Amino acid sequence: IADSAIPAPLFDRSVAVAMIADDPGERGEGEWLPVLRFSLSDDPLRPVETGAIVVVTSELAKATDRDSFAALRLELERAAIASVDRRFWALASDGVAPVAATRDPLADLRAMLDRVVTSGMVAPQWAISAGTAARLATLAGAGGSPLFPDLGPLGGTLLGLPVAVSDAIPAGNVALIDALSFAAHVGTVAIDQAEGAALRMRTDPAAGAELVSLWQSNLVALRVVARFGAARRRDEGVAISTGWTA
């Protein structure tokens, strides 16, 4: 979604949009065209750093064969994507009041479209978890045929709009996000390696968690840090529906 957002440099304070009016009428040579101007926000696009640590054996970290390298690269990619997705979802959903789903899926999705798709100047995308995508993909319509035939557990399209599948989206949630309601800067990804550090081997390290020496355990820690920026410029650009689990 961030790739389709309005590109903006970090710390930028001048994100705005100017559009020609819908019906400017006829104008003679050299005459002005009416312009509709509106500023989405003047908040700076501040950099955000997020990342994860992947711990592997020393043998895997030093391996040079193709399969070992592919496995290591896959784990690093998954860690970076999951971390960025969590931070972007936190930003996109902040302050958005979710609406509980009813027993009419099409009516629920239509209400979300009514909120987000207010003009042709939008780039909406659905965002759901893999589990929720699987449930929607198996909903039956009239005659038992799939209600959403172009959707699968890994994505596809829903009502003609692309679907982004991410585990950062809470289970049972369906979100509609207009990418053009966001300014974003896709930054860099840095990878560091440590062999002599000590880690608390927990996703949510507590004060009492045991420290594990990487050197004594013959382990290597690979830290991936992604730097990016994103800011929501239009509150109506996000709609969230909950309760898509039953």
Side-chain angles (χ1 to χ4, degrees):
I1 294 175
D3 289 338
S4 302
I6 300 173
L10 296 179
F11 294 104
D12 180 62
R13 300 185 64 91
S14 58
V15 176
V17 173
M19 299 169 54
I20 297 179
D22 293 337
D23 184 16
E26 295 184 3
R27 294 292 184 273
E29 184 73 21
E31 295 185 10
W32 292 97
L33 287 175
V35 173
L36 172 65
R37 295 184 57 196
F38 61 95
S39 176
L40 298 179
S41 175
D42 62 354
D43 294 331
L45 189 60
R46 301 187 182 280
V48 173
E49 285 192 352
T50 184
I53 296 175
V54 177
V55 179
V56 299
T57 63
S58 296
E59 290 80 8
L60 179 58
K62 297 174 182 178
T64 57
D65 62 281
R66 179 178 300 179
D67 290 341
S68 297
F69 180 78
L72 189 56
R73 177 178 178 180
L74 176 61
E75 288 301 315
L76 290 173
E77 287 179 350
R78 291 176 59 187
I81 291 171
S83 182
V84 171
D85 282 358
R86 285 193 297 269
R87 292 300 296 267
F88 182 80
W89 171 248
L91 183 151
S93 61
D94 183 39
V96 178
V99 177
T102 68
R103 293 186 177 275
D104 189 341
L106 287 177
D108 295 334
L109 298 177
R110 185 184 307 116
M112 300 174 71
L113 289 168
D114 288 342
R115 171 183 169 87
V116 175
V117 184
T118 56
S119 72
M121 300 295 292
V122 292
Q125 299 183 38
W126 303 101
I128 52 180
S129 68
T132 305
R135 181 186 179 278
L136 289 176
T138 55
L139 287 179
S145 58
L147 187 60
F148 306 115
D150 298 321
L151 178 65
L154 300 182
T157 60
L158 178 61
L159 302 181
L161 299 178
V163 175
V165 173
S166 172
D167 289 335
I169 312 299
N173 282 19
V174 174
L176 182 61
I177 301 175
D178 170 32
L180 293 182
S181 292
F182 290 80
H185 176 87
V186 180
T188 58
V189 176
I191 299 176
D192 298 319
Q193 176 177 317
E195 299 181 33
L199 297 178
R200 301 188 190 276
M201 305 292 279
R202 292 175 51 145
T203 301
D204 53 343
E210 180 183 0
L211 282 172
V212 176
S213 169
L214 298 177
W215 181 77
Q216 287 182 322
S217 304
N218 195 35
L219 299 174
V220 174
L222 301 172
R223 184 182 66 175
V224 55
V225 177
R227 189 172 188 266
F228 71 101
R232 193 174 68 213
R233 304 301 191 181
R234 186 173 70 95
D235 289 341
E236 293 76 14
V238 179
I240 301 174
S241 178
T242 60
W244 294 76
T245 54

